[in-house]
Structures are given as C-alpha cells and as structure tokens.
C-alpha cells in the first residue's frame, strides 16, 4: 500500500502490521497529550511536584533523554569533523543517519515536555526576552533552541531522500546541496550541544547552597559542566547503537556491520573510562573535601529510597564496570558483554541525571529539615512515556520510508 | 509541501505570531479571575479587640473607609504594645467569613437542617421573640434561660439586668478558669473578685500547669511578661510543672514533669518543707492568716489548722514524689529554691482557660503564695481591681418578684455545694434529666456550647428538652445550626463592646471597643435587640433598660468611672506594670463625655493595682481554713476546710482504661466561641493535622507498648466517646498519657473550617467540683488501639 | 563596584529574631498572610504545597521525655547577601527575581516569572512557594485583599519581600517630609505583630540601629553560614542545642 514511499531494494514489514505498531504508539502519545493538556489547563497541582521538589520527572527525563540524544552530535562530530584525520571513523557513516534521527527526536521531545514543566508556558519565551546572562538555564534555553534548529536542518535532507520526495527535482537538488553543507551544521551543532550539555550540568552545579549538587570548577563553569558533556558523549553513541541493535532484533535484519558496534564500543570505552576517572576524582573531592567544609559527610546525602546504592550503581555497576568491559577488545567481541555494557552505560548516565536533579533536592540542607520522597503522578509519567513513544514513532517512520542505513541492502542480500 | 513551507515562513515574517505570543503573555499576567483589589485612600482606625478576654488595643486599616484590609496592634495600648496574636491578625476573616449569618433566620424544618432556615425580617424576629418572652413571662419568667460568653463585658451586666427585670435566675456563663479563682478569692478573702498576678515584676516564676504561652486567657500579657523575663541581664528563672513538654515548658528554664493533675500535691509538698523548715513568711502568716494554726469555730469546736495538715506525713517529699512521679530530691531542691528566692511567685492553671479548676487545688496554690508572703500589700498577688462602672439596678414587678422565689435550676437539684458558682453544668444536667421546672426558651449569646463545651453532649441533651432555642451568633456555628431562631449579632469589629479588666492582671483596665466599619450585613447588636425586646415587654422591664443604643449604654457605664474620678486614660506608651498598688493615678479626663470620647478613640483606661484586703472575712484575715465551706458540709472531717490535695477520680477502672487522655491548647488553634480562621489553619503543624485526620500525641514508650508506629491510624476510646485519629509519636508526651489538641473537629461552618479532625470536647470527661459545683476537666481514662 | 562584586549602598535591610523569646504562636505568619494577600486553600495540611512566606519550623533537642525541649524558628526569606548573587537570583533565567542592591531586598516580579522553579531548587531554606493552583478566595474575603500587594496568579513563585511596599511608603513619606529617604525606617508586618517582640528589623549597616547591634550580639547566628549564602536574617539564642541546629556539623 505504501510501497511507493519505501526506499528501493529494502524489505519492510507489511503495512497492516506497521499500522498496528504505529497505532499503539499513537495511543501512548494521545494519552500523554491528554495528560499534558490537563496539566496545562488545570495547572501543575496534578503532578507529584511540590515546594520541596521543584524539579521532578519532567526535568529528569529531559536531562536523561538529552544526554542520550547526544549520540547525534557526537557521532556527527566524529564522522564529519574528525574522520578526515582518523579514517577509521568513516565507519560511523553507516549509522550516522540513525544518530541524527535519534538526536532529532530526543531534542524535540524534550522541548515539548519542557513546555509542561514551567508554570507559565505562555510566557516561556521571556527566557529570550528578559534573559539573565548569569543563569545556566538561560544558556540552556538558548543552546537547546539553536541546536534543535540545527537538528531540524540535519533531519530535513533525510526526509528529502525519500523516494517519492526526491522525485521532485528541486527537492533533490536541495537535499544534495544540504548534504554538502551538513559538515558545517554538524560542527555548529557539536559546539552548541557540547555547550548546552555542559549548561545542563551547570544548572545543578551552580546551586551553591545545595551541597549535593554544588561543584567548584573552571572559570564560570562548575565541574558538572564538563562532566555532563563527557558523560553525554560517553553514552549517547552507545544509546544510538543500542537502538540500532533493537531495530535489528525487531526487524530481524542486519542494518549495520558489526564493526560499527565494535568501533562505537571502543570509542565509548575510551570516553567512559576517561569520564569515570574524572567522575571518581570529582566524587572524592566532593565527598571528602567540599562536603566537610559544609559540615556534611557522604552518608548525610543518602537516606531511605535515596540510599548509597544510587552512588554504587551510578559509579560502580553502571560506570566503572561497563568502562572496563568496553576498553577490553576481547570483551567487545562478545555481543552480550558489548551490548550489556552499552545498557549499563546509559543506565548509569540516567541515574546521574536523576541524582543531580531529584536527589540533589531531596537531601535536606538545613539540619532541622526532613527528608522527603518524591513520587511522580500519572500526569508526569504519561507525557514522559508519550515522549518516548514519539521517539519510537519518528524512528519507525524514518526507518520505513527513508534510506537510514546505507548498508542495509547489501547486508541483507 | 512548498505551500506549507511557504505558509509557515510567510506567517513567521508577519507580526502576527509575535503579537500573539506577546498578547498571550500579557493575558497570563492579567487573568480576569485573579482578583485585583480596589485602590483608594488607606486610613487607620483604632479599636480594642474583643475576640478573647485579653483586651489588646488594635487598629484596622481601611481602604476608602469601607473595606478593612488589616488588623494590627495599637502601639499606644500598654497590654499588647503594638503586637497582635494570630487570631487578631486574621480577625478580618471572621468579618468577611462566608459562613456568617447574613440576616435573621427561622428554622422551619427539623433542628439542624441547614435548608430549613428561612430568612425573616428583624421586625418579625424581634416581634416573635418578644411575643414568646411575653407569653412565658405570664406563665413564669424563670423558665427562660441564657448562656453567654465568659468574657467580661458590659453585655454580661446588660443580660443580668434583663434577667433580673424579667424575672429569671437562669443566666449562665460559659466556664472559665477565672471561675475557680473567683471561688478561691471568695473563700479566702471574702471578695468576689479574682486573684491577680504581678507577672512582670516577679523574680522567679514557679508555674503549676499554667499554660502561659500555650493559649492562656490573656495571651498578649503573658507574651509581654515572657519578654521581660527573658531580658539580657538577670533573666527571670521560670520553672514549669506539668505533664506535657509544652511550649511553656520548653521556654522555661526548668521543666518538672509530673503525673497529670498532681500539681497541687507538689505545691503541698513544697509547703510542707517550707513549714517544717520554718522557711516561710512567718510574720505575714502570723498576723494575717487565719487557720494556719489549729482554730476554733463559732460553736467553740476545735479544728485542725493548715500547719498541722501540711506538715503531716501525707505531704513529705517521699509521699509527694510518689504521687507526682518526681524524685524526692527534686521536691526538696524546688522547695529550697522557691523559699529562698526573694521575689518568687507561684502561678497556676489547669492548662486550659475555658474550664474551672478544682477549688481545693486553687486553695493550695493560694496557701503556698501566702506562705511566701505574696499576698501582703505590695506583694506579687493582688485582687483584680474593678473599674467603677455605673452599677445597674433592675426594677422588679410582681412577676419578677414572684419568680425570684424560684431557685436557679442548677441549685434546685441540690448539689450541696458549700460555695456554689456559675453552674452551667449543673444547669444542663438538670434540664436534660427532669428538672424542677422546665426551660421553655434558651438563648445562647456569643457562645458555642454545642462544640466547645467539654462534654458537649450535655448541651445537646439539654437543648433537646427546650422547645425554643435562640442563637445570637454572627456565624453559622454548631449551636446556631441547632437553633430555632438565629438573630445574628454584628461581628466584633462592627459593634460597640467593652473590656472590663484583663484576666489575672493586677492593674485596673477598661476599654471600649468601637466599630471599625459599618455593619456589612443585615445584623443587629444583641444589646440593642435586648433593648428593643425590653421596650416591647414594657413595664419595669422596659424601665430597667432605658437605653436606645448600645453606645448610649456604654456611655452610661463610663459615667461611673468619671464620677469616681478614678484612674486615667493611657494616651502615651507607659510601662503599666511599674505602677504599684496604692500608687496615685491622676485622672486626665475632664468629664464622662471626654472620657468616653477618648475610650472610643481606642485609648484604654487604667488604675493602680489593689492589694488583697481581708476585712470581708469572718476572721478579718486571709482564711486558709475556709469556714464558709462548712455550711452545707456533710463530712465533719477537718480537712474539708483546708487547702489539700483532693484529686477527682476519673470514672472507669484503670485496668479497663489503662491510659489517660489530656487535652491541650495551642496558640495556633482557636478553641473557644471563634473557630479557626483559614490563616490560622496554615499555622497548624502537620504533626497535628493531615487532611481531615487529627493526630493524638503519645510517648514513644506508650506507642511501643501498643505496637503503634508514627502516623498509624488509631481508634481512641474514652469513657465518654470514641473517635478515629492518627498517632503522633513525640517525646513531648508523658508515658501513659495521650494528648489531644482542642479547637478542632468543627462540623458546621464551611469547607475551610469544618471537618478537620476530632473535637476533644466529645472525648473529655467533666467532673463537678464538690465545693463550687462547677465542671472541671483534667484527664479522662482512655484506650488506644491501632486500626 | 565593591569587592563583593556589586555596587553596595549603605543600606542593607535585615532582621534579627530572638528564638529564646519566640513562642511559635504564629502571629508573625498570620500577620504576613493578611498583609501580603497570601492565598489559602481548604486543606492546608500538606505543608509542601502550602504557601507560607513566614514558615515556623519546630526544632527539638532530640532528647527523650522529660528532657525533650522544643523551640521555634520563624523563617522568612533570608534575603541572602552572598557575593555577586543570592542563590536564587543567580539562577533565574528571566531576571524575575533580583536583588535590589540599593537595600539588599531580594525581589520577585510575579508577572515576569515563568514558573520554572529553579529558584526554589536553588534555595536551601525553602523560602519560596509555588502557586500550584489558581489562587481563589471565598467571595466575601476578596474584600480584605490589600491594594498594596498584587495577588499572584497560578504557576508563579512567591516569597517574603521584607514588606518592601512598606519600605517604599516609608521612603515616599520621608521624601514628602523633606527628610533623607535613605534614613527611612519601617517594620515589616511580622515584626510589628510579634507578641514577645522577638523580631527586630532595620538597616544592618547603620551602626546605631538596634538590628545592627543585635546582629553582632554573641548570641547571634545565621542558618547555614557554612554555605556562604550570607543571609540577612540573624537569629539569637543562648541555648547550645538551638545554635547547633543552625548549621551542619560533622560532630
């Protein structure tokens, strides 16, 4: 039925099955939109947020998804920027389209959820108009907006490559010329996303009255600025690779060469190891140098559901362990270990975003303050799930109708 | 596709989206449903607060003279010196309360049915009330009764005047801590006054359960005293004796935890050591106290004196320790300290301002202070002086003369109380259980006994037997809801009223509370309703109440002060506590009109404290052996004349009811006639209320033994009733004792006030004091279990 | 520019609260609510969603009965004087909350606030409340709203302003009277209300003011001094256990 839209030489599942899948996704999205609309109309009292937990599920999900979406800019940076100097990075071209799609959906999805998060969405644009140059959030607002535009620009040529669309000559020309300049956008995007990823880290790190989150740093940026960038680039490509693997399983096809996974594994292994070294140093400095100055010890930050297990999980099981696996060429050969490490890696980064958002404010600062526990309401869960469904939807559509994987035809011959 | 792209691009180039974005933001800043308060000239109007008995000066801020926006303290007033309490600060929430009664109402359906109230005119309301009163008067005026507020104002005297002229003895006041003080003063000094405490000038304060900072009868004055005690140099040592680690206990320098209700035993123990150690004011006692030594009555019969009683083995430190739960050494240490401190004052209370105390215990504390010499002229305890207001005297006709043969209903049942006082409990009890004569009409003024009278079911039972119940409440409270007629009074800030003295204050005090704003609703001053009804009834009733307006009535009362040329108006801030008994206070007003003008402008009148006089007693001395108790006494035991520890046993057996329930008051919860305001609801801690669930405080030890964890749903059962609640485990509670806050659990009002927790009054047991016949409340036997 | 990184005037409005005198009666908080048109809801028992500019914390000495003692700590906005920025003004993306360097008051512009709540996250004192609902009043009670303080809309953050509308009035009055507006004094509603006069307010930089003297009292301390937030609200207490609760300590 939709054969005419499907790229040449690839096989796709039957339209009814695809429709069913899309319907499921649309159902989740509809649920999320309904919940989001309710929040916009009836205000934020529907959420589990309160005066203690100013930030909650929306922000955590946004931070995590933006970190994981970083695969887009970082793969782009490696492919468009560095492959001239390191030819082996050319391999990434085989997955770069997917990386762009993942980045695109993650960012646009995050922006939509961000709209719900603020109490006065109609005035959201005051961030541009009355910008406070000192605020990390201002940095975030500007960078995310710019980068989302860049991602749209990066995504457009992919759309234009659709068989039907490229039949139109001007579109084909546009697509071609856009591809030529893509390197420039990729590099602009890289800068912007490095910067805003860092700013997101800064959001937590500059809260100098929140000992859990506060970090000293370099010039105006706290260490979290740099750690967030590093953690994003050491997990984003892994996320792209995992999605690719998931697609391979679902479609029962090979979409990229295994060498691509191993290359990503190698890159991530290196980055993650570097990140973990810095993270451990940062944690040690925070726990044993900064906190005592504030009269706090490490155990003061952990209580009840927000126990020390979070630190062990984030830094140990989902940090050092995948780093060790990924830097070992032998371990990378095992699919179980390779993808297992990818999974741990992204879980670790998600925990990091959770901890820097929720735990940072759950931990009481005043000695007579009490721990509180945050439980998100369905009005927070639904839009977040809808955002994930939206990601899946765009990826599914993109895969079905666009030539995402240059090697797909060959690999499945 | 191209079209769509073009359209998007094109639209973005027009000003439209930007204009829309801007407009929507502007709209979000000016939502029509966000109220925008009307602007205008802001003025200040001074007045005096009558929400409680504390007598604070206030000033209201008005916009355009017709909209009150804030109640502040009046810095010119010596009691509160510019401060306000949480209740006064939120007073406007009573004025603008949605649950106010907007006009006279008549119940047309069953009592308590909100939908049955029919609006009637004042004309009709007053006519129907007058008619009923007229009818009843013909059959016997004594069958009309009234319950009024315990606050001291000229309204009391107007009610008394009306009842005297009309011919009914059945006028009752809501119970108050002052009732017991009045009994004790009557018995020991022969004066019908209350004891007054020079808190501000004390050098050492030993408080036997006085809830000075936990919502006492005169909170502002207590706060002012605390400020003076906590001065930087030589702060005053405060010792708090009670069972709960209350706010007062925490602010005190020493907290002495004792079993609930055993304060008087400790006081006896201290007296024992003072007497045995000859460490008391022997000169004062010898010359001014009767009954310290063994004494002989008019019949020549010899009786035991206080000295021999207190020094007996019943009150040794060991014995007292056993009763109170303190260490004997602590008792000795405390006695030594109290005896040796030069300006030591013992104050006392039941921990609640709204109920009377055990008279014998009241006498014990008087005795302890007497031993300390505090009752001598210039001492720390005096008698509350009275403002010389014009006296009222009712003219009587044949009907009122005849009915004066009828006994007051609480006395008719013959409780054999030797020193009967305002016996509201006796009255309610009598009405509900076959009285000597029926009550045909019951009026309730500025009181809400259906909710805030301990053992409030007594009121409900009595009300059932009364065919006509009339409420004068400004608010749709629990009592008003049960009434047949509501003749709404103005809210306190809309009417003339006055404050006659401050409970427990040694100086004379009188203030007029002038309205700050014109009445907002179709309400009428209850005083003026009485005047109108009196004039309709005509005859001596009308001539006894000749005034046309309540303001005229107050003017008349103030004339008395002017005639006596007593006291002075305070027109500049003064340290009122520096005036000693007998100090001259020169009057600074020219005549009654001038005085009233000044009082109306929010200034208060004051006079020097008065020393305790003993000339009215039989012996001409302070009577520690209260001879008048013996009048109706059935027992011939000498101890009945003397101050002693005489706890009233709560009903129920200890084995069945292993715990004690004690109620406490919080300054953040209004527990009298006035319900809490929404502002005050914000102050209620989440350890007291969660949603509509009230917390009951219990000690961790008690909780452990009952298997109860923090926040558990529990069921409390007392000998009086049961209720569901939540458990709050706190070391503020004494092991084995449960604590419940008062003032919660309203059923009437609106969604902001009603249905919050449990009403403590429905769980507490009232016991009648054998001397005064008044209800006392201290502890109730209880069970608690997790559900 | 001073060494603190911002232009400093010689006015720094601040407050001293004597915790030994505070009885936790709530008068300050109620007066604050009335003065500042603070909205309320039928159920205010969830303190995490209850708007309160002057919240009264209950402290306890963690001991068992009968050594158990409580104290109250009223907490207005601390109007932090940290170098460069207060924790909250530093992070506001839209300049809705800023510190007025003329007097040190941390202000909040409701119509500009976008409700991102970053300032609440940054504030360790929980001094800020969010309007989770559309504020509504029972109809007759709209009559008691003060025209001097604008009611807030839903979705914005609000907090104690040291009653700066009163300050503006005091300055305007001084100007009209021909006296120096910079010497104008006033009291916020809470300080006026306090029955034990535990709250003292004034210019911390005016050596002669009561508040300046008390802030240098040996009993004076601030909450969380170790974080360098430099609050302009000081507390007084003689009791060690209360003072020890002011800041975290490793012992």
């Amino acid at each position: 039925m939709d054969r005419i839209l499907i790229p040449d030489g690839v096989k796709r599942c039957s339209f009814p099955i695809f429709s069913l899948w899309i319907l499921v996704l649309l159902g989740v999205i509809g649920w999320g939109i309904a919940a989001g609309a309710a929040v916009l109309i009836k205000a934020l009292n529907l959420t589990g947020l309160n005066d203690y937990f100013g930030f909650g599920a929306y922000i955590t999900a946004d931070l995590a998804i933006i970190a994981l979406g970083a695969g887009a800019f970082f793969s782009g940076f490696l492919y468009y920027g560095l492959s001239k100097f390191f030819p082996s990075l050319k391999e990434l071209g085989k997955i770069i389209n997917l990386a762009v799609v993942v980045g695109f959906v993650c960012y646009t999805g995050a922006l939509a959820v961000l709209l719900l998060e603020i109490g006065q969405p109609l005035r959201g644009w005051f961030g541009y108009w009355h910008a406070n140059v000192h605020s990390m959030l201002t940095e975030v607002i500007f960078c995310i907006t710019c980068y989302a535009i860049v991602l749209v620009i990066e995504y457009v040529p992919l759309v234009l490559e659709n068989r039907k669309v490229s039949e139109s000559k001007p579109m084909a020309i546009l697509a071609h010329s856009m591809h030529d300049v893509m390197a420039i956008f990729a590099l602009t995007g890289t800068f912007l996303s490095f910067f805003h990823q860092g700013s997101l880290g800064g959001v937590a790190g500059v809260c100098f009255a929140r000992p859990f989150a506060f970090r000293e740093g370099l010039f105006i940026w706290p260490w979290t600025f740099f750690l967030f960038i590093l953690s994003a680039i050491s997990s984003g490509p892994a996320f792209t690779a995992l999605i690719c693997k998931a697609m391979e399983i679902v479609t029962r096809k090979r979409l990229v060469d295994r060498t691509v996974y191993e290359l990503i594994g190698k890159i991530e292994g290196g980055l993650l190891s570097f990140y973990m070294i810095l993270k451990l140093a940062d944690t040690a400095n925070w726990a044993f140098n900064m906190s005592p100055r504030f009269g706090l010890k490490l155990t003061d930050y952990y209580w009840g559901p927000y126990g020390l297990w979070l630190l062990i999980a984030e830094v140990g099981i989902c940090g050092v362990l995948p780093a060790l696996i990924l830097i070992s060429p032998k371990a990378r050969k095992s699919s179980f270990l390779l993808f297992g490490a990818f999974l741990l890696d992204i879980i670790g980064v998600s925990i990091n975003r959770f901890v820097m958002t929720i735990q940072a404010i759950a931990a009481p600062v005043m000695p007579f303050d009490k721990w509180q526990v945050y439980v998100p309401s369905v009005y927070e869960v639904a839009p977040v799930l809808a955002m994930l469904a939206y990601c899946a939807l765009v990826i599914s559509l993109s895969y079905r109708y666009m030539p995402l994987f240059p090697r797909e035809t060959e690999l499945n011959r | 596709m191209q079209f769509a792209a073009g359209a998007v691009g094109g639209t973005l180039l027009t000003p439209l989206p930007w204009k829309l974005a801007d407009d929507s933001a502007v709209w979000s800043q000016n939502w029509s449903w966000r109220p925008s308060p009307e602007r205008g000239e802001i003025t200040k109007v001074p007045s005096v607060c009558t929400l409680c008995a504390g007598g604070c000066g206030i000033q209201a801020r008005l916009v355009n003279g017709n909209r009150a926006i804030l109640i502040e303290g009046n810095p010119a007033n010596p009691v509160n010196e510019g401060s306000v309490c949480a209740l006064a600060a939120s007073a406007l929430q009573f004025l603008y309360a949605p649950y106010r009664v907007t006009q006279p109402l008549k119940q047309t359906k069953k009592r308590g049915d909100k939908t049955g109230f029919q609006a009637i005119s004042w004309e009709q309301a007053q006519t129907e009330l007058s008619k009923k009163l007229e009818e009843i008067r013909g059959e016997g005026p004594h069958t009309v009764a009234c319950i009024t507020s315990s606050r001291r104002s000229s309204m009391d005297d107007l009610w008394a005047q009306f009842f005297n002229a009309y011919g009914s003895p059945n006028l009752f006041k809501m119970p108050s801590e002052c009732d017991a003080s009045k009994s004790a003063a009557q018995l020991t000094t022969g004066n019908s006054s209350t004891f007054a405490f020079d808190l501000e000038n004390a050098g050492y304060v030993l408080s036997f359960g006085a809830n000075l900072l936990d919502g006492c009868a005169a909170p502002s004055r207590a706060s002012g005293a605390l400020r003076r005690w906590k001065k930087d140099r030589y702060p005053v040592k405060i010792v708090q004796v009670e069972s709960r680690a209350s706010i007062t206990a925490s602010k005190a320098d020493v907290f002495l935890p004792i079993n609930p209700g055993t304060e008087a035993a400790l006081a006896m123990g201290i007296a024992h050591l003072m007497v045995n150690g000859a460490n008391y004011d022997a000169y004062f006692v010898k010359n001014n106290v009767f009954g310290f030594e063994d004494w002989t009555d008019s019949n020549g019969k010899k009786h035991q004196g206080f000295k021999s009683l207190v020094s007996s083995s019943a009150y040794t430190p060991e014995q007292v320790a056993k009763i109170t739960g303190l260490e004997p050494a602590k008792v000795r240490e405390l006695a030594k300290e109290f005896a040796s401190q030069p300006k030591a004052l013992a104050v006392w209370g039941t921990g609640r301002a709204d109920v009377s105390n055990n008279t014998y215990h009241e006498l014990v504390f008087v005795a302890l202070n007497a031993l300390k010499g505090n009752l001598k002229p210039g001492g720390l305890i005096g008698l509350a002086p009275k403002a010389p207001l014009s006296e009222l005297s009712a003219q009587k006709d044949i009907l009122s003369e005849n009915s004066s043969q009828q006994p007051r209903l609480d006395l008719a049942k013959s409780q054999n109380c030797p020193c009967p006082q305002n016996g509201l409990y006796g009255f309610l009890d009598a009405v509900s259980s076959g009285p000597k004569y029926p009550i045909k009409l019951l009026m309730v003024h500025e009181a809400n006994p259906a909710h805030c009278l301990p053992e409030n079911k007594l009121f409900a039972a009595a009300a059932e037997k009364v065919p006509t119940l009339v409420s004068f409440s400004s608010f749709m409270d629990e009592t008003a809801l049960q009434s047949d007629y509501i003749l709404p009074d103005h809210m306190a800030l809309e009417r003339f009223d006055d404050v006659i003295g401050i409970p427990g204050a040694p100086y004379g005090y009188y203030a007029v509370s002038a309205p700050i704003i014109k009445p907002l609703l179709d309400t009428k001053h209850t005083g003026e309703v009485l005047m109108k009804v009196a004039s309709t009834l005509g005859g001596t009733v009308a001539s006894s109440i000749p005034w046309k307006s309540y303001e005229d009535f107050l003017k008349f009362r103030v004339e008395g002060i002017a005639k006596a040329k007593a006291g002075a108006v305070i027109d500049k801030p003064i340290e009122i506590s520096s005036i000693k008994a007998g100090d001259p206070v020169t009057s600074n007003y020219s005549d009654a009109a001038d005085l009233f003008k000044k009082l109306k402008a929010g200034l208060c009148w004051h006079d020097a404290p008065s020393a305790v006089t003993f000339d009215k007693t039989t012996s001409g001395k302070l009577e520690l052996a209260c001879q008048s108790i013996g009048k109706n006494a059935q027992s011939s035991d000498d101890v009945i004349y003397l101050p002693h520890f005489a706890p009233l046993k709560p009903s129920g057996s200890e084995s069945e009811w292993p715990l004690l329930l004690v109620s406490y008051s919080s300054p953040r919860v209004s527990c009298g006639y006035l319900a809490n305001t929404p502002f005050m609801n914000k102050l209620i801690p989440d350890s007291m209320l969660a949603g509509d669930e009230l917390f009951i405080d219990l000690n961790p030890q008690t909780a452990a033994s009952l298997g109860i964890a923090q926040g558990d749903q529990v069921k409390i059962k007392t000998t009086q009733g049961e209720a569901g609640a939540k458990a709050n485990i706190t070391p503020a509670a004494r092991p084995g004792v449960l604590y419940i806050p008062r003032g919660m659990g309203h059923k009437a009002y609106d969604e902001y006030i009603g249905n919050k927790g449990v009403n403590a009054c429905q769980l507490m047991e009232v016991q009648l004091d054998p001397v005064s016949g008044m209800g006392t409340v201290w502890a109730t036997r209880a069970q608690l279990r997790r559900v | 520019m001073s060494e603190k990184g911002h232009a400093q005037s010689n006015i720094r409005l601040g407050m001293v609260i004597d915790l030994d005198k505070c009885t936790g009666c709530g008068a300050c908080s109620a007066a604050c609510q009335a003065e500042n048109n603070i909205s309320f809801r039928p159920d205010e028992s969830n303190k995490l969603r209850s708007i309160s500019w002057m919240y009264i914390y209950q402290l306890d000495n963690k001991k068992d009965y009968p050594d158990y003692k409580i104290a109250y700590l009223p907490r207005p906005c601390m109007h932090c004087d940290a170098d460069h920025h207060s924790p909250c003004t530093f992070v506001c993306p839209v300049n809705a909350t800023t510190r007025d360097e003329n007097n040190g008051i941390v202000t909040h512009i409701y119509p500009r606030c976008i409700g991102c709540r970053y300032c609440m996250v940054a504030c360790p004192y929980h001094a800020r409340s969010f309007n989770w609902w559309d504020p509504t009043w029972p109809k007759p009670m709209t009559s008691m709203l003060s025209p001097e303080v604008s009611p807030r809309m839903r979705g914005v953050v609000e907090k104690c302003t040291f009653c700066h509308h009163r300050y503006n009035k005091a300055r305007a009055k001084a100007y009209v009277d021909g006296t120096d507006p910079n010497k104008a004094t006033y009291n916020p509603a809470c300080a006026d209300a306090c029955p034990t006069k535990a709250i003292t307010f004034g210019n911390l930089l005016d050596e002669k003011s009561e508040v300046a003297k008390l802030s240098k009292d040996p009993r004076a301390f601030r909450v969380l001094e170790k974080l360098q937030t430099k609050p302009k609200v000081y507390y007084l207490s003689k009791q060690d256990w209360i003072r020890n609760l002011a800041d975290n300590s490793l012992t």
Side-chain angles (χ1 to χ4, degrees), chain A residues 40-41 44-45 47 49-51 54-55 117 119-120 123 130-132 134-135 138 203 209-210 295 365 367 369, chain C residues 48-49 59 85 89 91-95 110-111 113-118 121 124 126 130 132-133 153-154 245 248:
Chain A
L40 289 178
I41 293 165
L44 282 159
N45 57 68
T47 64
L49 297 167
N50 52 44
D51 290 342
F55 290 168
E117 197 273 337
Q120 283 286 352
R123 304 182 206 158
H130 299 291
N132 173 11
H134 301 293
S135 173
T138 305
V203 163
R210 288 285 187 179
V365 186
D369 220 344
Chain C
L48 299 181
R49 278 198 176 178
L59 316 182
H85 298 277
T89 62
V91 300
C92 176
V94 295
N95 274 319
Y110 314 120
C113 176
I114 59 171
C116 73
R117 302 183 299 285
Y118 192 8
V121 167
H126 307 297
F130 186 73
W132 299 101
W133 287 270
M153 62 288 283
R154 87 175 192 203
L245 279 172
N248 294 296

Side-chain angles (χ1 to χ4, degrees), chain A residues 9-40:
Chain A
V10 296
K11 275 185 80 172
R12 293 289 181 262
C13 67
S14 75
F15 186 69
I17 294 177
F18 183 70
S19 314
L20 200 69
W21 165 238
I22 295 299
L23 272 180
V24 170
L25 292 178
L26 285 175
V28 176
I29 293 171
W31 180 48
I33 287 176
V39 168
L40 289 178

Side-chain angles (χ1 to χ4, degrees), chain B residues 276-347:
Chain B
N276 284 7
N279 207 351
Y280 63 96
D281 193 334
Y283 182 82
F284 172 74
V285 169
K286 184 161 186 283
N287 293 306
N288 298 293
V289 175
F290 170 81
F292 182 67
E293 305 291 344
D294 292 350
W295 55 286
T296 320
D297 64 20
S298 49
N299 302 329
K301 195 171 168 224
K302 258 186 99 74
H303 295 279
Q304 184 188 24
F306 181 67
K307 184 180 177 183
S308 121
L309 173 73
V310 78
S311 54
S312 75
S313 62
Y315 297 109
T316 60
E318 285 67 28
Q319 210 49 41
V320 165
K322 219 182 270 170
I323 301 167
T324 58
L326 284 175
E327 292 289 309
K330 269 265 184 270
V331 181
R332 288 202 176 86
E333 189 190 320
L334 184 64
K336 205 172 148 197
E337 198 174 70
F338 181 74
S340 60
Q341 288 283 344
K343 294 195 94 180
L345 170 68
V347 294

Side-chain angles (χ1 to χ4, degrees), chain B residues 17-101:
Chain B
W18 315 108
K19 177 77 178 119
L20 280 177
D22 190 43
D23 283 354
S24 66
V26 172
W27 174 68
S28 78
Q29 293 162 344
N30 293 297
W31 278 332
S32 55
W33 60 89
R34 187 177 62 122
S36 54
E38 169 210 15
R39 294 179 176 277
E41 196 201 352
I42 294 180
T43 48
K44 285 187 183 184
V45 185
S47 186
V48 171
C49 185
T50 54
L51 299 185
C52 84
C56 296
I58 52 170
Q59 46 190 358
R61 279 202 214 172
L62 304 182
V63 177
N64 294 327
N66 60 16
R67 203 158 72 73
I69 56 167
L70 188 72
I71 299 294
E72 298 174 288
N74 184 350
N77 187 287
V79 180
N80 57 321
E81 300 162 291
S83 72
V84 279
C85 67
L87 187 70
S90 48
L92 295 176
Q93 293 195 317
F94 293 116
L95 179 65
Y96 294 111
Y99 51 76
R100 281 194 63 181
V101 181

Side-chain angles (χ1 to χ4, degrees), chain A residues 211-212 214-217 222-224 227 277-294 296 298 301:
Chain A
F212 187 94
F214 176 56
R215 295 294 188 281
E216 284 145 330
W223 294 128
T224 47
L227 289 174
I277 292 167
L278 294 185
K279 174 77 190 171
L280 286 170
D282 171 72
T283 306
N285 177 49
W286 164 73
F288 305 118
N289 175 26
M290 293 179 67
S291 298
R293 262 194 281 147
F294 301 139
L296 292 161
L298 188 61
Y301 295 126

Side-chain angles (χ1 to χ4, degrees), chain B residues 278-508:
Chain B
N279 207 351
Y280 63 96
D281 193 334
Y283 182 82
F284 172 74
V285 169
K286 184 161 186 283
N287 293 306
N288 298 293
V289 175
F290 170 81
F292 182 67
E293 305 291 344
D294 292 350
W295 55 286
T296 320
D297 64 20
S298 49
N299 302 329
K301 195 171 168 224
K302 258 186 99 74
H303 295 279
Q304 184 188 24
F306 181 67
K307 184 180 177 183
S308 121
L309 173 73
V310 78
S311 54
S312 75
S313 62
Y315 297 109
T316 60
E318 285 67 28
Q319 210 49 41
V320 165
K322 219 182 270 170
I323 301 167
T324 58
L326 284 175
E327 292 289 309
K330 269 265 184 270
V331 181
R332 288 202 176 86
E333 189 190 320
L334 184 64
K336 205 172 148 197
E337 198 174 70
F338 181 74
S340 60
Q341 288 283 344
K343 294 195 94 180
L345 170 68
V347 294
W348 63 91
T350 53
R352 51 190 306 160
D354 58 352
V355 77
S356 182
N357 195 7
N358 182 319
T359 307
Y360 281 120
H361 293 179
E362 202 79 9
L363 295 173
V364 166
F365 301 121
V366 175
L368 182 63
N369 277 300
L371 290 180
K372 188 65 200 165
N374 282 340
L375 284 99
K376 64 186 168 200
L380 292 166
I381 293 187
L383 286 174
K386 280 184 199 140
L389 296 165
S390 308
E391 293 290 336
L392 302 178
S393 66
Q395 293 155 359
K396 300 205 163 189
D397 57 10
I398 180 77
L399 285 167
S400 45
E401 281 298 346
N402 283 348
S403 72
S404 60
Q405 312 295 322
Q406 296 286 348
R408 212 168 74 190
L409 209 48
D410 60 316
L411 307 175
K413 237 189 138 191
S414 174
Q415 302 276 350
N416 281 328
C417 298
C419 182
Q421 290 278 350
N422 167 45
L424 177 60
Y425 279 103
F427 167 73
L428 294 177
D429 204 25
V431 173
S432 59
S433 59
K436 187 158 185 279
Y437 53 85
I439 290 295
K440 293 177 184 157
L441 175 70
L442 174 62
M443 294 181 277
V444 181
H445 168 244
E446 237 192 32
N448 185 12
H451 181 266
C452 57
L453 185 76
E455 243 182 90
N456 54 348
K457 62 184 177 202
L458 292 175
F459 175 79
E464 243 172 59
K465 299 279 163 68
V466 177
T468 311
L469 187 60
V470 179
S471 164
F472 294 95
S473 183
S474 312
F475 313 111
M476 191 52 95
D477 54 43
E478 285 82 356
T479 309
L481 199 56
Q482 293 301 325
S483 305
D484 302 298
Y485 288 90
I486 309 176
L487 274 56
D489 198 350
H490 301 319
M491 186 261 160
L493 295 167
E494 297 170 319
R495 67 177 184 230
F496 271 101
D497 206 340
D498 59 355
V499 178
I500 309 176
I502 295 167
Y507 44 81

